[in-house]
Amino acid sequence: MKNTPLSLLLVLPCLAAALVAPARAQNTTLTIDATSTTRLPASHYGLMTEEINFSYDGGLYAELVRNRAFLDDAKAPTHWTALQTSGSAATIALDSQTPLNAALPVSLRLDVATASTAAPAGVSNDGYWGIPVKPNTRYRASFYAKAAPGVSGPVTVAIESADGATVYAKATSGNLSGDWRQYTVTLTTGQVTPTASTRL
């Protein structure tokens, strides 16, 4: 019952737009009698929210990865960066040709030209003003991935400092395949100094 006013607030603008259009075309009259009221029980609450300062993404929806579905910008993977070190080369781009499904029609494509164990390549996400690192904390990461034909091996997921010099937590997934698969890893920090100057 408490969700009903919120649902009505979200739907009402659509209903109003639907009523206004026929009124112009057919000269329909809408009469509202504001003198007749109904007493609502105390269990009914009104609520209005706005998406200001990420009150939904990264707020009510407690997500640490920003633009996780790659839908913030249709042309560029905002908040995602190709991760390259000295001796590696990689590029990233949005890919709508190989979607996971109809609900997630865009994926992030990573093309690695050169990389090695000593000089890895990948992608990074800057989070919501960083990824908040706290001591002795577990972070659960879940993602879908697939590899190009002939490519296999695991994916390393890490929370590290913005310059990549300090790794606060990391975990390795199972080996990739040529089909979309879901991977879940748990990253655990040790006795670290709390910080948000980080990236995934």
Side-chain angles (χ1 to χ4, degrees):
M1 295 296 285
K2 293 181 181 178
N3 291 333
T4 303
L6 176 59
S7 298
L8 290 175
L9 284 174
L10 294 174
V11 172
L12 189 56
C14 296
L15 292 176
L19 290 174
V20 169
R24 291 181 183 151
Q26 302 172 1
N27 294 326
T28 304
T29 302
L30 174 65
T31 304
I32 299 174
D33 182 1
T35 61
S36 176
T37 60
T38 302
R39 186 170 183 84
L40 295 176
S43 61
H44 284 228
Y45 295 93
L47 176 66
M48 196 285 281
T49 63
E50 289 185 51
E51 174 58 324
I52 297 175
N53 294 331
F54 306 101
S55 58
Y56 294 131
D57 284 346
L60 295 176
Y61 180 72
E63 175 68 69
L64 298 179
V65 176
R66 195 162 173 183
N67 189 22
R68 67 182 177 93
F70 315 112
L71 299 175
D72 283 8
D73 186 328
K75 297 179 181 177
T78 56
H79 304 290
W80 292 90
T81 306
L83 182 63
Q84 305 175 79
T85 57
S86 178
S88 68
T91 59
I92 60 172
L94 296 178
D95 185 353
S96 59
Q97 301 303 310
T98 54
L100 175 65
N101 54 38
L104 296 170
V106 179
S107 60
L108 181 68
R109 181 184 178 103
L110 168 67
D111 290 306
V112 178
T114 308
S116 65
T117 304
V123 298
S124 68
N125 183 276
D126 55 15
Y128 292 88
W129 305 283
I131 307 287
V133 170
K134 299 178 182 179
N136 303 314
T137 303
R138 287 182 301 185
Y139 298 81
R140 182 178 171 269
S142 178
F143 60 96
Y144 288 87
K146 65 182 279 189
V151 177
S152 63
V155 172
T156 299
V157 181
I159 301 172
E160 58 187 29
S161 58
D163 62 4
T166 304
V167 176
Y168 297 101
K170 74 176 180 176
T172 303
S173 74
N175 288 337
L176 298 179
S177 70
D179 299 315
W180 285 113
R181 282 183 48 199
Q182 184 176 19
Y183 300 88
T184 302
V185 296
T186 302
L187 298 84
T188 305
T189 60
Q191 288 292 339
V192 298
T193 302
T195 182
S197 182
T198 56
R199 66 187 182 191
L200 178 71

